[in-house]
């Protein structure tokens, strides 16, 4: 493929339109064309940033052998080997149960990462290459939404392929985040036993919900690029959790994968974060340190 920076020279003439929501669908469709020169210039800046980051990490994103999932696969494999050794180093049944639960979680996550790797090599990478070629030929529609010149609001340029949904977001000021969502990536259910008492679990759950977690469709949910957070989340919400590789974050200096977790057996346990904050404020001197620890290390 030609140097991606060459593509950025040909961005003038891209088809840019305002996005329109589709009932029952996650993707926007093209509405009115964008004619304002300043808005077009801002869109081109976002697309250029996307191309620069892909160029910077093309050894991972466009390689026929390397993928964004290799780091997670290596880290999980090494960690599982360590945990297998640690299980044999103790006679404490509670510690052994916890470590076995963590091994089960790690093995399921490793399987998901390997499946995503295979799909990246066979489908996602090829579609990314085709998308970049389409940008070069000005054949790609760029769908936008948000407010391009309001520093208090986000502004997003969307690029779509069959199996990729790319959001290039201008955040407050001039910062840019780029997320590549993977359509059709597989998830799995992970079932764990209850390893902590309710008195311990409740402040742990408050800690997550007051920091990185959300309440989505009445379920506690979290997106994270940290493997240890995924493991701790599943231990914090015993019984069934749904785990899914949501996508790839294309940062300025690196690429990481994003895990999405849903505590399926805890629906309607919490209604909103305001209520959680109220309950957390009632924690006694024994339970508050547990809550505070999760808030600090999350």
């Amino acid at each position: 493929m030609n140097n991606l920076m060459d593509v950025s020279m040909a961005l003038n003439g891209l088809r840019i339109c305002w996005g329109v929501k589709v009932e029952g669908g996650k993707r926007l469709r093209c509405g009115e064309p964008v004619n304002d020169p300043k808005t077009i210039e801002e869109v081109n800046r976002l697309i250029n940033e996307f191309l620069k980051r892909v160029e910077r990490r093309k050894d991972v994103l466009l390689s026929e052998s390397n993928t964004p999932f290799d780091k997670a696969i290596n880290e999980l494999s090494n960690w599982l080997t360590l945990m297998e050794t640690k299980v044999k180093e103790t006679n404490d049944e509670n510690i052994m149960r916890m470590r076995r639960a963590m091994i089960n979680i790690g093995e399921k996550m490793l399987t998901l990462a390997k499946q995503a790797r295979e799909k990246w090599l066979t489908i996602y990478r090829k579609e990314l290459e085709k998308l970049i070629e389409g940008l070069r030929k000005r054949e790609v529609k760029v769908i936008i939404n948000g407010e391009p010149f309001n520093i208090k609001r986000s502004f997003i340029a969307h690029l779509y392929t069959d199996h990729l949904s790319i959001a290039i977001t201008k955040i407050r000021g001039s910062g840019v985040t780029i997320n590549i969502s993977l359509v059709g990536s597989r998830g799995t259910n992970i079932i764990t036993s209850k390893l902590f008492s309710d008195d311990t679990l409740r402040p742990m759950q408050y800690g997550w919900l007051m920091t990185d977690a959300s309440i989505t469709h009445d379920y506690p949910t979290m997106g994270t690029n940290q493997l240890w957070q995924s493991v701790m989340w599943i231990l914090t919400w015993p019984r069934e959790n749904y785990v899914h590789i949501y996508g790839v974050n294309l940062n300025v200096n690196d690429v990481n994968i994003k895990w999405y977790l849903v505590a399926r057996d805890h629906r309607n346990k919490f209604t909103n974060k305001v209520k959680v904050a109220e309950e957390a404020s009632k924690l006694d001197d024994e339970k508050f340190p547990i809550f505070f620890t999760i808030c600090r290390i999350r």
Side-chain angles (χ1 to χ4, degrees):
M1 172 173 288
N2 295 333
N3 188 299
L4 302 185
M5 302 309 295
D6 296 337
V7 180
S8 65
M9 302 299 293
L11 288 180
N12 291 332
L14 278 178
R15 292 182 290 171
I16 306 172
C17 56
W18 288 102
V20 177
K21 290 184 177 180
V22 179
E23 186 175 354
K26 294 183 179 180
R27 295 187 173 192
L28 302 174
R29 67 172 176 83
C30 241
E32 294 182 4
V34 176
N35 298 313
D36 175 54
K38 289 186 177 180
T39 301
I40 292 172
E41 182 180 354
E42 188 63 17
V43 173
N44 285 344
R45 185 182 77 85
L46 294 180
I47 299 299
N48 267 312
E49 181 62 25
F50 165 68
L51 293 171
K52 288 176 184 177
R53 294 189 191 183
V54 173
E55 169 69 16
R56 194 174 292 133
R57 297 315 311 268
K58 64 183 179 181
D59 59 324
V60 170
L61 296 170
L62 301 176
S63 169
E64 294 184 359
S65 57
N66 302 320
T67 79
F69 307 94
D70 295 349
K71 180 181 177 182
I73 290 171
N74 291 335
E75 288 180 352
L76 279 167
S77 297
N78 293 337
W79 179 73
L80 283 168
T81 299
L82 177 64
M83 291 304 297
E84 292 283 1
T85 301
K86 284 186 172 294
V87 167
K88 303 172 185 177
E89 293 177 350
T90 180
N91 292 319
D92 188 309
E93 187 60 33
N94 290 329
I95 294 177
M96 291 175 66
R97 286 177 60 219
M98 183 179 298
R99 287 175 177 170
R100 290 192 184 108
M102 294 170 75
I103 289 171
N104 178 59
I105 294 167
E107 288 174 343
K108 295 286 183 67
M109 292 177 65
L110 180 59
T111 297
L112 286 181
K114 288 181 176 179
Q115 290 171 345
R117 182 184 193 278
E118 183 63 26
K119 199 160 187 176
W120 182 272
L121 290 173
T122 57
I123 296 176
Y124 299 132
R125 177 184 62 83
K126 294 178 181 180
E127 289 194 7
L128 182 59
E129 286 184 336
K130 186 176 179 180
L131 173 68
I132 293 168
E133 182 68 12
L135 287 171
R136 186 182 70 81
K137 295 180 178 179
R138 306 184 192 113
E139 296 173 346
V140 174
K141 291 180 182 178
V142 182
I143 302 177
I144 63 173
N145 72 318
E147 300 181 31
F149 307 113
N150 185 340
I151 62 173
K152 296 182 179 179
R153 301 278 184 170
S154 61
F155 175 60
I156 309 174
H158 302 269
L159 299 169
Y160 298 130
T161 70
D162 288 343
H163 296 91
L164 298 176
S165 179
I166 300 170
I168 309 162
T169 304
K170 175 186 174 182
I171 54 179
R172 291 185 178 184
S174 58
V176 176
T177 64
I178 301 177
N179 300 302
I180 304 176
S181 298
L182 308 175
V183 179
S185 64
R186 296 180 63 181
T188 190
N189 293 319
I190 300 179
I191 298 174
T192 56
S193 301
K194 184 177 177 181
L195 300 172
F196 301 98
S197 69
D198 288 334
D199 285 344
T200 300
L201 285 175
R202 187 56 64 94
M204 290 170 68
Q205 292 166 355
Y206 291 162
W208 286 120
L209 291 170
M210 291 301 296
T211 51
D212 293 339
S214 303
I215 300 169
T216 308
H217 303 303
D218 302 321
Y219 293 98
T221 63
M222 183 175 69
T224 179
N225 57 26
Q226 301 293 325
L227 294 172
W228 74 264
Q229 282 193 340
S230 300
V231 175
M232 280 301 301
W233 171 272
I234 294 169
L235 294 178
T236 301
W237 304 92
R239 296 183 293 278
E240 184 176 339
N241 276 270
Y242 178 72
V243 183
H244 174 221
I245 295 179
Y246 178 78
V248 174
N249 292 337
L250 182 50
N251 306 314
V252 173
N253 295 316
D254 64 7
V255 176
N256 54 52
I257 64 175
K258 189 164 186 177
W259 300 85
Y260 185 68
L261 305 109
V262 182
R264 280 190 162 169
D265 273 334
H266 297 268
R267 187 179 185 184
N268 294 320
K269 190 169 184 178
F270 301 100
T271 54
N272 57 64
K273 290 201 174 192
V274 174
K275 292 289 186 182
V276 173
E278 291 175 357
E279 293 301 315
S281 68
K282 301 174 186 177
L283 293 173
D284 59 31
D285 292 342
E286 181 181 348
K287 299 182 183 64
F288 182 77
I290 302 172
F291 164 81
F292 185 67
T293 298
I294 291 293
C295 289
R296 287 192 63 189
I297 69 172
R298 89 281 185 268

